[in-house]
Amino acid sequence: MNVTIQHVFLPHTDPEAALGFYRDVLGFEVRADAGYEDMRWITVGPVGQPGTSIVLHPPAADPGITDEERRTILELITKGAYTAVTLATDDLNGLFDRLQAAGADVVQEPIDQDYGVRDCAFRDPAGNLIRITSAPA
């Protein structure tokens, strides 16, 4: 039996800012961009890895969520406490420099962790925590 990760979902609060971050800064390709009323679902993924995607979705789009719950979800997203994803790269310092030069919100500069990885962290335009790892130096 083989199990893979196909889609990971991250909320966005501004589809154009999300595209600017994931497509233009991280270099992901846009695989789908679907809208319904005033909402957009954007699927992006790393070039050359068609089986793995991130779906950037409108937060709290469920009609069963109350206005108070929607506000709470948006507050958690903005604080970076709602969801996160970890990416990996073979050039952590280069990617860190590119993200920092693009004005991304730095949470943690590259550091060798006690548990055996070298990583850094950013927030995307919505506030989602994006951790990036590489092999330790």
Side-chain angles (χ1 to χ4, degrees):
M1 176 187 300
N2 185 23
V3 178
T4 62
I5 296 172
Q6 183 174 8
H7 293 97
V8 174
F9 288 76
L10 291 177
H12 72 73
T13 53
D14 178 340
E16 293 305 319
L19 276 172
F21 183 80
Y22 289 94
R23 180 192 60 204
D24 302 336
V25 179
L26 286 177
F28 285 0
E29 61 187 5
V30 177
R31 300 193 176 140
D33 190 340
Y36 175 74
E37 296 179 355
D38 61 346
M39 298 177 284
R40 277 172 76 185
W41 287 258
I42 304 164
T43 304
V44 297
V47 174
Q49 296 180 44
T52 303
S53 298
I54 295 174
V55 179
L56 304 165
H57 64 90
D62 185 334
I65 293 175
T66 67
D67 288 341
E68 182 178 345
E69 291 167 334
R70 189 169 283 109
R71 280 190 298 276
T72 300
I73 290 169
L74 288 171
E75 287 174 12
L76 291 170
I77 292 168
T78 302
K79 290 180 180 181
Y82 188 71
T83 190
V85 67
T86 301
L87 308 175
T89 182
D90 60 357
D91 183 7
L92 183 66
N93 291 333
L95 183 54
F96 176 85
D97 291 344
R98 186 166 79 204
L99 285 159
Q100 189 173 40
D105 181 13
V106 176
V107 174
Q108 173 201 302
E109 293 190 6
I111 186 171
D112 291 319
Q113 300 287 2
D114 293 340
Y115 47 89
V117 300
R118 180 170 174 76
D119 68 357
C120 64
F122 291 86
R123 293 201 195 290
D124 75 2
N128 297 305
L129 183 65
I130 309 298
R131 187 163 286 285
I132 304 168
T133 68
S134 73

